[in-house]
Amino acid sequence: MAPRRGAAAELVVEEEDEDSQSTRLKFDEPLSWRAGRAIPVTELLRRLDSLSKELKEMDQERCDKSSLTRVAKELAGANLLNHKDRGIRAFTACCLVDILSLCAPDAPFTPSQLKEIFTLFITSILPALSDPANAYNPQHMYVLASLAEVKSIILLTDVHDSEELILYLFTSLFDIVSGSSASSTDEQISKNVEYHMNSLLVTIVDEAASLPTRVIDVIVAQFWRASVPGSGKGKQNGEAIDEKQSTLLAKEWPAAYRMAKFICDACPEKMARYISQYFNDVILDASSSNGKTLRPHDHRRSSITIDSDDDEVDAGPSEADLKELHKAHKLLRELWRASPSVLQNVIPQLEAELSAENVQLRLLATETLGDIISGIGAAGPPPPPFMDPAAYPPVRLSENLERQVSTNVLMTPMSPESFAQTRHAVYQSFLARKNDKSSLIRSAWIIAIGRILTTSAGGIGLSREDETTLVKGLAEKLGDADERVRIAAVKAVASFSFRDLIAKLAPNGDVNKSGSVLSCLADRVRDRKHPVRVEAMTVISKIWGVAAAEIAGGNEVVTEALSAIPSKVFDAYYANDKDINVLLDHVMFEQLLPLNYPSSKGKKQAMGESQANGDASFDPDKLRTERILVLIRSLDPKPKKAFFALQARQATFRNVLAAFLKKCEEYNGGVMEDNEKEINEKLAAIIKWLVDMLPDPLRASLDLWKYVKLHDRRSYQLIRFSMASESDFKTVFNAVKEFSKRIEHAPGAPAGILDTLIPLILRSASLVYNRSHLPTILDYSRNDGQGLGATAHEVLKEISERNPDVFKAQVKELCKLLEGEAPSKTRHNDVGSVKTLKACAAYARKFPEEIPHDRKFMQAMINFAQFGTPPKAAKYAVSILMTSTERKQLHAKDLLQKTTKDWKYGSEYFLAALATMSQLTLLAPKVTDDASDEILDITTQKILLQVRTTAQDDDPEWQDDRVLDEECQAKCWALKVLANRIRTSENAEETKEVAAPVFRLLNQLIYKEGELSKAQATPKHHKSRLRLVAAQLMLKLCTTSRLFDELLTAGDFINLAYVMSHDSQYEVRRRFTDKLQKYLVQNRLSNRFYTIVFLQAFEPDPQFRQSNMTWIRSRAKFFSDKQAPVMEAILPRLISTLAHHPDYSSDPNSLVQMAQYILFYIKTIASEENLGLIYKYAQRVKQARDAISPTESENMYVLSDLAQAVIRHWQEKKGWNMQSYSGKVGLSRDLFTAMPNHDVAQQTAEKQFLPEEMDDLLAPLIKKADKKTVGKRKPDDNAEIASTKRVRPSTSKSAARPGAIQKPKRPKTPARLPKKSRATSSTPSSAMTNSERRRSGRGSGARKSYADRDDSADDEEMLDGVSKWEYDDGRVESDEADDSAEDEDEEMQDASEKGHAEEEEAVATESPASEPAEPEGDAEVETEQEEPAPPPKTNGRPRRAAPTPKVKPAPKVKAKGKPAAKGAKTKTESRSKAKGKADIFDIQDSE
C-alpha cells in the first residue's frame, strides 16, 4: 500500500503547485450598497473601470474562477444593471462580458441573473452603438466584440422566455446599421462594428435550436430595403430617370440588407428551413385557398391547353391573400439575388404554382421566375434603354460605350448563379408557360423572356442554345393569337437597347428573313388590331431612327439587319386604313424623321465639341437632309412610291387648309354680318373633306367645329407659316410646336383636339420638301456624297414635279450648276447631269418665267442638246429651251439643222441628235415639218430598216437600260421621233393620213414581236425592247386624241392585249403594265384598256401578279365610291377578247382555261353588292352578235354562259345573296352589233351553249380559287424577289403572228398542246390534268335560275352604257351617240400634266382599298393560294394560232343612246365570320 500512498501524496503536491500558479482577482472593493448608502457615481465608475481593466488582463486558462464569484454576484445585482447612469451600465457590461469569457462555458450566474444581464446588453448597451459619438462608445464596442468573438451570446438561447430578447436584439441591430434607430446620428458606424454585429447574429442563428417566427420576419424584412420607394409604379414602367437626380440613387447595398444577406450566406441550411417555413405560411396557404393544396411536381392540370378561356378557372385566393402573395413573391426575387441557397425549398413551390389551376397564381409564379432568372430584385427592372431617334450625337456601336445600365445598384440586374443550370427542371417548366392557355400568362412570359435576354440572365450569361430558344420564343409570340400577347411581345423588343438588338436579335435574322424577331415585329405593323399596330410601328420606327446614323455610315451589320424597316413601315400605306395613315404620319415625323432632330441639347453639345476641335461646321439642316435621303434610299420601289405619294399630297392639303382658315376667319367665331348660310355650308363642305381622311369622322368633325369656334387668329397664322413653301424648316418646326402648346392650353379647347388637328398639319406642312433641305440635296446630287447622289436626283425630280414652289429659291443655283457642267465637242458632261436636267425641265414646264434667259445658260442648253450623253440629256435640254426662251423658233431651226446635216450612224453624238429630233418634232412641229423628208429618211431607212448587229443564239432575251447597245437605242429614238411627229398634227384628215403608216409600223412590231427586217434576223434583246417601245408608244398615242384611239382597231387592240400581257419577258410585261396603269389612273385612256389588265390571270411572277390584283381592286373601289359601274362594264369586253383568243376552243378542258380569266376578273371586281350587275352584263352578251366576226358569235355565247356559271359558283362559294339587276346595261358598238331579229335573239337566249360537263369541271376550280392556306409564315418571297434582279432565261423563237386576229374556225377535236413556247423559270411546271380535278358533288338540279327578261326592247338598250373619257387635246367624247351617258372615268385628283409631261414617270398617289379576309385558325398568317397552273411551256398563256386574214370592219348600227345605269344597291345579308382569332392576321393589300 505504500506506493499507493506515495502516489497520492505526489498528486496533491502537483495540485498545490497549479493553484499557486493560477491568477486570482485582486480587486476587492465593494460594488454593491445598501439602500440609502449608494456609492457615488464617480467612485463607482473608478471601481468599475479598475475592475474592467483587471479582468481584461486575466487569462481564462490561468484564472481562478472562484475569485470571480463575489464580483460576479455584485455585477449581476440590480443596483448596477439598472443604474440610471449610462457609464455605470457600460462599465458593468464590460465587466460582465469579461466574466462570461473567463468562466466559459459555465457562467457564474443564475438563469434569472443571465436574463437580466442580457436584457442590459440588448436593451441598453448594444442600441447605444447607433451613436458613435457617445462618450462610452468604446465600452459599447467592447461588449459587442466580446459577445461576438467569445460567442457568449449563445447563453441567450438557454435563457427562459428569451424570444422577446432575441427579437429585440435582431431588431435593434438592424435598425442600428440602417440608421433608423431612435438614437442614430448622421455619423456612420464603423465597419468593424458591422462585422461584429454580423457575427453576433450568425452565432444566434447557428446555435439556436429554433428561432421565433417574428425573428425570421425581421430578417426577411431587411430585403425590403432593396425596394426603392415607388418601385412598383412609375419609373420602372417606362419613365426615364432624370439625369440630374442620378446622384440620389443608391450606389451600394443598404447595411441592414448586407447583414441579412450575411446571415443567409453563413447559415444556408437553417435559413433555408426558416425561409421555407416563412413562405409556406403565405404561398402554400394562398395556393390552397381554392381547395387544392399544391405540392412540388404535382401537375394536376394540363399545362398546355389552348382551347379553354381565361375565365374558366376555379375560384382562387382572396384579395387579401393575393396581396400577401405579391409581397412574398417580390421578396423571393430579392432573396434570389442575395442568397439563392436559402430558396432551395421554395423554388419547387414556385414550380408547383406554375401548374396551378388559378390564373393569378400561375401569373405570379411566371413573373417571379422570370425576374429571378433575370436577376431582377424587389426594386424592379432597370429603367428602359435610351432610344431617342432625335438624339445627337447619335449612338455609335464603334465607340465602345458601357452598356446602358442603371446607376442604382438596387435596380441593376444581378444573379449570383445560373438558374437555367442549377434549376434546370424548373427552368424547363417556366419555358413551357409559352403555350399556356391564358393570354395573361403568355404575356407575362414574353415580358420575362425579354428581360432575360436584355439582362443576359442577370449578368451570368446564357448558353447559345438557351439564347436561341428564347429568341425563337419571342419571335413566335409576336404572332400569337391574342392581341395582348402580341403587344407584350412588341414591348419586350422595345426593352432592348440598340446594342442588344444588334448583338442578340440581329443574328436571328434581318427584317426580311421570315420567322426572325425583326421580321415578325415588322409584320405587326399591319396587324389587324390597332393597338398592336401602334406599338409595333412606333417601336420598329424608333429602332430605325436610332440606327440611322450607323446605316448612313455604312455599318454592314446594322444595314443588313435594319435597313428594310422603312419599307415595311411605308408598305402599310397600301392597306388604305385611315388609322394606319394617321399612325404613319406620327411615326414618320416622330421616329423616322423627328422634327426636333438633331435635338437642341445635341446641337449645343456638338457645337461645343466642334468649337473645341476648331471646327464650327455643325449644320442641323444638313444632318436632317442626310437622314431624309438615307430613309428614301432604304425604301423598296413600292414603299418609295408610297413615301413620295405622302409628300405629294402636301400641296392638296395645303390648299384645302388654306381655304379652311379663310372660312374660319369669315365665320368669326360664329359672329357673321352677312352670308351666314353660305359660309356655314362652305365650311361644312371643307370640314367634311378633311374628316373623310381621318379614322373617326364624327369626332374629327366635332373637333374641327370646336376649333372654328375658338377663333384663335394666332393659330391661323401659325398654320400658314407651317404650310408656306417660303418658310425654312426652323420656322415650320417652331410654328408646329407653338401651335400645339397654344391649342393644348387654350381656354375652352376640348381634350384630344390635337389628335385631330396635328395629322392635318403634318400632312400640309413643308416638312420634307423644304427650302432648307434643297442646298444639301443639290450638293449630294453633284458629288454623290455617301452614295446619296441618285437619291438626291430622285428627290429633286419629285420636288420639281409635285411641289415646284419649294424649288424657286434654288432654281438659279441649279441652272448655274448646269452651266458649269455643259458639255462640248471635246468634253463630256457628267452622268448625273441628266437627273438635274430632268428636274429643271419639269420645273420649266410649270414656271417657265423662273428659268434664266441669259445667253450663257441658253448656250449651255444648246451644248447639251448637241453633245449631251446619255441621249436623254439632249432631250431634257431641248425641253428647257423650248419652254423658257422667247427665241425658241430660232433655236429650234438652228438645232434641227445641226442635227440633220450630215447625220451619220455611228458618229460621236448621233444618239443625242436623234433625241434632239424627237423633242423638236414634239415641241416645234412647224420647224420640223420643213425637214420631214430628211427626218423620215434618217429614222426609217437608215435606222429602223437596218440590222447592224448580227443575231446570235446566245443573245440575251433582255438588256438593261445601262448596257443597251447603240443600235437598239437608236431604233427606240427613231420610233419616238415618228410617234411625236404625228402627235402634233392639227388637221384631222392630214393626221389620219400621216398616222396610218406609223400605226402599221407599230402594229407590225407588236405583231412580229419586234422584227421589222425581212432580210436579216434581229437580235432577241433588240426585239423585246422594240416591241415594248412600240406598245408604249401605242398607248401614248391613244392618250393624245380620239382619232388615234379609233385608228387602233378592235383586232389590233386584241393583238396588243394578248402580246403584251403574255410576253415572254418579265421586264416587257412589267413596264408595259406600269405605263398602262399610269395612263388609266390619269384618266387618259378609254375604258376599254382596262380589259388588258384582266388578261394577266396566268402571270408567272407571283409578286407582280399580286401587285396587279391590288391595283385592280383599288380602281374598282374608286369607281364604286363614285357609283360608276366602269369595271363591271368591262366584262362584255373581256368576253369578246377571250372569244378571239388565238387558241380558243369549245373543248371543256380549253374552256377551263378561259374560266380562269373570268375567275381572275371576278376575284378582283365582284362583291355582294355588284354581283347582280356583273351577272347582268354576262347575260347581256347573248343579246348581241359579234361585230368583229358576226359568223362566229357562238364563241361569245359559250363564254357568256361560262361567265354566268362561274358567277353562280362564286356566289355559292362566298355565300352571297345575289339579286337580279333591274336596270339597263349597254354594250360597246365596236365589239357588238344587234341581232337580226327577235326570233334569233329568243333562240340564242334560251339555248345553253356550255357543255354539260363544265359544271363539274368548274366546281374544283372555284373551290381552290382564293383559298387561304393556314400555317406558319413562310419565307418572304416578295422581299427576296424585290432584292434581286429578275432575269428570265432565253426562249425559243416564236412563230409569226397576224396583224389583226380573227378567231379560226372551231376544230372538231380538242386543241392540241402547243408545239412552240416561251418557257421561263417563273412559269408553273405543270398543267392541271383531268385526273387532278375533283368533281363537285353538287347536282345541276340545285342550280338557281337567274333568267332575266327577254324582250325586243333589249335590242334598243344594247348599245347603251358606254363611258366617256378625256383626251389630251381637251375633248371629252363617248363611245355612244347619246351625250347624256355618265362620265365614268372622272377622277377626284387632277391628272398629271398633258403633252410634255407624258414623257415622265408618274407615281399613282391613291391607295388601294382594304378588304380584309376572314380569319381562320390560330396564331398563323393566311396567304393567298396561287391560281391553278396554266398549261406547260406557254409562259402563262395558251399557244397562238396560225395567221389569219384580216377581219372586215363590222357594219355600223344606229341605236338610241341611253345613259348608263348606275350599279343597283342590293341588300347585304349578314354573314357569320369564321371561328378563330381574328386579331392575328395581317391587314392585306386592298383585296
Side-chain angles (χ1 to χ4, degrees), residues 874-875 878-879 882 888-889 891-893 895-897 899-900 912-939 972-986 994 998 1033 1036-1037 1040 1044 1395-1396 1398-1399:
K875 166 189 170 181
V878 173
S879 297
M882 294 299 101
K888 71 175 186 178
Q889 295 294 332
H891 287 304
K893 288 182 181 180
L895 282 175
L896 183 63
Q897 182 181 2
T899 54
T900 57
L914 287 174
T916 301
M917 280 186 227
S918 173
Q919 283 303 94
L920 289 176
T921 54
L922 179 66
L923 304 178
K926 295 181 179 179
V927 175
T928 56
D929 283 346
D930 298 334
S932 60
D933 292 340
E934 296 177 61
I935 294 174
L936 287 175
D937 180 67
I938 292 173
T939 55
C972 293
W973 282 112
L975 289 174
K976 293 178 181 178
V977 170
L978 296 177
N980 288 342
R981 181 169 170 266
I982 64 174
R983 287 170 60 189
T984 55
S985 181
E986 297 179 355
V994 177
V998 176
L1033 290 175
K1036 181 170 291 186
L1037 289 172
T1040 306
F1044 294 140
H1396 312 306
E1398 294 171 2
E1399 293 289 337

Side-chain angles (χ1 to χ4, degrees), residues 548-810:
E550 289 287 0
I551 295 174
N555 188 309
E556 294 182 0
V557 176
V558 178
T559 302
E560 181 182 357
L562 306 177
S563 62
I565 287 178
S567 294
K568 297 292 185 179
V569 172
F570 285 101
D571 192 57
Y573 172 72
Y574 290 94
N576 198 31
D577 184 276
K578 294 177 182 178
D579 282 311
I580 290 182
N581 291 341
V582 171
L583 179 59
L584 197 57
D585 293 330
H586 283 287
V587 299
M588 179 162 51
F589 296 115
E590 293 173 7
Q591 313 297 340
L592 298 175
L593 305 172
L595 296 183
N596 59 336
Y597 173 79
S599 61
S600 57
K601 181 178 179 180
K603 292 181 183 179
K604 294 177 183 178
Q605 182 178 350
M607 288 295 290
E609 292 177 357
S610 61
Q611 290 174 1
N613 297 330
D615 179 18
S617 59
F618 176 77
D619 185 358
D621 290 332
K622 181 178 180 181
L623 292 171
R624 192 182 311 106
T625 308
E626 286 177 357
R627 177 170 287 195
I628 293 173
L629 295 178
V630 170
L631 173 69
I632 297 174
R633 184 181 64 181
S634 302
L635 295 172
D636 293 333
K638 185 178 177 182
K640 186 181 293 184
K641 288 183 179 181
F643 176 82
F644 285 136
L646 291 172
Q647 312 315 315
R649 70 184 178 182
Q650 189 256 338
T652 302
F653 273 89
R654 179 181 60 195
N655 295 335
V656 175
L657 268 187
F660 173 70
L661 296 179
K662 183 179 179 181
K663 293 302 174 186
C664 287
E665 292 172 337
E666 295 178 1
Y667 187 80
N668 195 27
V671 181
M672 295 164 281
E673 296 180 357
D674 53 4
N675 298 328
E676 179 176 352
K677 182 178 179 182
E678 180 183 354
I679 294 174
N680 279 314
E681 289 177 352
K682 290 184 178 180
L683 197 54
I686 296 175
I687 289 177
K688 184 180 183 306
W689 190 92
L690 291 173
V691 300
D692 284 343
M693 307 296 173
L694 299 176
D696 189 350
L698 180 59
R699 177 193 169 188
S701 179
L702 294 175
D703 287 342
L704 289 179
W705 276 112
K706 290 175 183 177
Y707 174 73
V708 171
K709 294 174 182 178
L710 285 177
H711 196 50
D712 187 349
R713 293 185 179 274
R714 174 60 180 170
S715 67
Y716 298 163
Q717 190 59 36
L718 291 173
I719 295 177
R720 290 190 174 101
F721 283 148
S722 68
M723 298 189 303
S725 57
E726 59 270 14
S727 297
D728 60 12
F729 188 86
K730 185 177 181 180
T731 302
V732 175
F733 173 65
N734 289 336
V736 175
K737 188 176 180 181
E738 183 182 346
F739 176 86
S740 301
K741 291 183 178 179
R742 190 175 184 85
I743 298 300
E744 185 177 3
H745 299 96
I753 190 173
L754 285 177
D755 295 339
T756 299
L757 294 175
I758 290 299
L760 298 177
I761 293 177
L762 293 178
R763 296 177 185 185
S764 59
S766 300
L767 296 172
V768 177
Y769 295 163
N770 188 277
R771 58 177 297 183
S772 299
H773 301 154
L774 286 178
T776 304
I777 296 175
L778 289 171
D779 184 55
Y780 279 129
S781 67
R782 290 194 296 267
N783 56 33
D784 194 24
Q786 300 184 33
L788 296 171
T791 305
H793 282 297
E794 196 170 4
V795 175
L796 284 176
K797 169 184 171 292
E798 287 292 326
I799 294 177
S800 62
E801 290 184 353
R802 306 291 180 184
N803 205 342
D805 293 344
V806 181
F807 210 59
K808 288 182 180 179
Q810 304 294 330

Side-chain angles (χ1 to χ4, degrees), residues 910-1155:
F910 79 104
L911 290 178
L914 287 174
T916 301
M917 280 186 227
S918 173
Q919 283 303 94
L920 289 176
T921 54
L922 179 66
L923 304 178
K926 295 181 179 179
V927 175
T928 56
D929 283 346
D930 298 334
S932 60
D933 292 340
E934 296 177 61
I935 294 174
L936 287 175
D937 180 67
I938 292 173
T939 55
T940 57
Q941 300 300 323
K942 296 182 180 179
I943 298 179
L944 291 175
L945 297 180
Q946 300 294 326
V947 180
R948 294 178 173 85
T949 303
T950 305
Q952 303 291 338
D953 294 338
D954 57 351
D955 284 338
E957 293 284 345
W958 176 264
Q959 272 191 344
D960 191 67
D961 296 345
R962 294 170 296 179
V963 297
L964 193 62
D965 58 65
E966 290 187 344
E967 182 183 2
C968 191
Q969 291 185 58
K971 290 185 176 181
C972 293
W973 282 112
L975 289 174
K976 293 178 181 178
V977 170
L978 296 177
N980 288 342
R981 181 169 170 266
I982 64 174
R983 287 170 60 189
T984 55
S985 181
E986 297 179 355
N987 185 279
E989 293 298 328
E990 180 183 348
T991 301
K992 186 179 296 187
E993 181 181 353
V994 177
V998 176
F999 268 78
R1000 284 197 299 271
L1001 175 67
L1002 297 178
N1003 281 322
Q1004 186 177 2
L1005 282 171
I1006 297 171
Y1007 167 67
K1008 293 187 176 181
E1009 297 185 334
E1011 183 66 79
L1012 279 179
S1013 176
K1014 298 180 180 179
Q1016 187 176 356
T1018 303
K1020 289 181 285 188
H1021 59 281
H1022 285 199
K1023 292 196 296 182
S1024 59
R1025 178 72 65 161
L1026 289 176
R1027 66 176 178 266
L1028 170 63
V1029 173
Q1032 290 179 331
L1033 290 175
M1034 188 73 79
L1035 294 178
K1036 181 170 291 186
L1037 289 172
C1038 290
T1039 65
T1040 306
S1041 170
R1042 179 180 175 86
L1043 176 62
F1044 294 140
D1045 192 58
E1046 291 175 347
L1047 287 176
L1048 183 62
T1049 63
D1052 292 336
F1053 176 84
I1054 293 175
N1055 187 61
L1056 171 70
Y1058 279 120
V1059 172
M1060 301 316 297
S1061 60
H1062 294 155
D1063 196 276
S1064 62
Q1065 295 306 308
Y1066 166 78
E1067 286 294 331
V1068 175
R1069 301 194 307 274
R1070 184 186 63 81
R1071 297 190 183 199
F1072 173 79
T1073 303
D1074 289 347
K1075 185 73 71 173
L1076 173 67
Q1077 292 177 355
K1078 168 190 169 182
Y1079 290 150
L1080 287 172
V1081 168
Q1082 295 174 350
N1083 196 28
R1084 296 167 64 186
L1085 284 173
S1086 61
N1087 290 339
R1088 67 168 173 164
F1089 284 89
Y1090 279 105
T1091 310
I1092 299 177
V1093 298
F1094 294 108
L1095 298 178
Q1096 297 170 339
F1098 292 102
E1099 168 59 44
D1101 188 283
Q1103 184 185 18
F1104 183 46
R1105 182 175 182 273
Q1106 185 61 39
S1107 175
N1108 291 334
M1109 293 178 68
T1110 298
W1111 183 86
I1112 294 171
R1113 289 175 176 133
S1114 171
R1115 301 306 297 163
K1117 183 178 185 300
F1118 170 77
F1119 289 119
S1120 176
D1121 293 342
K1122 295 187 63 180
Q1123 296 184 353
V1126 173
M1127 304 304 279
E1128 292 85 350
I1130 294 299
L1131 180 59
R1133 287 188 173 275
L1134 178 61
I1135 291 175
S1136 175
T1137 304
L1138 294 177
H1140 295 87
H1141 193 286
D1143 285 340
Y1144 172 81
S1145 171
S1146 59
D1147 176 71
N1149 293 330
S1150 177
L1151 290 178
V1152 170
Q1153 296 181 8
M1154 298 294 108

Side-chain angles (χ1 to χ4, degrees), residues 224 282 319-333 360 363-364 367-368:
W224 277 109
V282 180
E319 185 176 353
D321 290 335
L322 282 177
K323 186 176 180 180
E324 292 300 319
L325 279 171
H326 278 286
K327 291 176 60 178
H329 285 76
K330 194 173 183 179
L331 277 175
L332 283 177
R333 295 167 166 88
Q360 295 296 334
L363 178 62
L364 274 175
E367 292 175 340
T368 303

